[in-house]
Amino acid sequence: QVQLVESGGGLVQAGGSLRLSCAASGSLFFFNVMGWYRQAPGKQRELVAVITSGGTTNYADSVKGRFTISRNNAKNTVLLQMNSLKPEDTAAYYCNARSGGDLRIPLGSWGQGTQVTVSS
């Protein structure tokens, strides 16, 4: 079992920045991929960004160039720096740990979520 705890969400104006943090604990041996998904009201949970233990990253097209994901394997933490935020980025953001597979499919272990709200 792995436990994931997110922090860093909040309310920000369009064009602003936020940084999300995820602290992982427990048995992480099988969870090579960590990252972030988001879910807006009435929509499906979608990939935002993920990073492997080796540092390979994968971003949704909608956030490329604006969001940056990083990982500290020694501390079992994952950060998501979000810049140039847009109202359409408003969603609950969930930390995710998984072994791999099709990243478009939201699988694996999840945190409780943190709300990001971007006002126009």
Side-chain angles (χ1 to χ4, degrees), residues 6 20 33-39 45-50 80 91-98 100-107 109-110 113-114:
E6 304 102 332
L20 304 183
V33 182
M34 294 189 68
W36 297 88
Y37 287 70
R38 67 187 180 188
Q39 188 166 17
R45 192 168 294 190
E46 63 177 6
L47 169 72
V48 177
V50 295
L80 184 68
Y93 283 68
Y94 296 89
C95 184
N96 174 257
R98 59 193 293 161
D102 187 344
L103 299 177
R104 296 169 297 178
I105 301 173
L107 297 175
S109 295
W110 301 96
T114 185

Side-chain angles (χ1 to χ4, degrees), residues 7-120:
S7 61
L11 172 65
V12 66
Q13 288 188 331
S17 298
L18 283 173
R19 188 176 73 169
L20 304 183
S21 178
C22 174
S25 61
S27 179
L28 295 170
F29 181 79
F30 296 105
F31 296 97
N32 175 51
V33 182
M34 294 189 68
W36 297 88
Y37 287 70
R38 67 187 180 188
Q39 188 166 17
K43 294 188 176 181
Q44 292 185 332
R45 192 168 294 190
E46 63 177 6
L47 169 72
V48 177
V50 295
I51 185 168
T52 69
S53 58
T56 300
T57 58
N58 190 318
Y59 294 91
D61 287 342
S62 60
V63 307
K64 284 180 180 177
R66 300 188 298 122
F67 292 10
T68 302
I69 190 169
S70 60
R71 177 172 179 169
N72 185 321
N73 290 326
K75 295 184 177 180
N76 289 333
T77 57
V78 178
L79 300 178
L80 184 68
Q81 179 66 42
M82 304 185 295
N83 298 327
S84 301
L85 283 161
K86 304 176 180 180
E88 51 263 43
D89 294 318
T90 296
Y93 283 68
Y94 296 89
C95 184
N96 174 257
R98 59 193 293 161
S99 58
D102 187 344
L103 299 177
R104 296 169 297 178
I105 301 173
L107 297 175
S109 295
W110 301 96
Q112 80 284 358
T114 185
Q115 180 66 35
V116 171
T117 302
V118 184
S119 63
S120 57

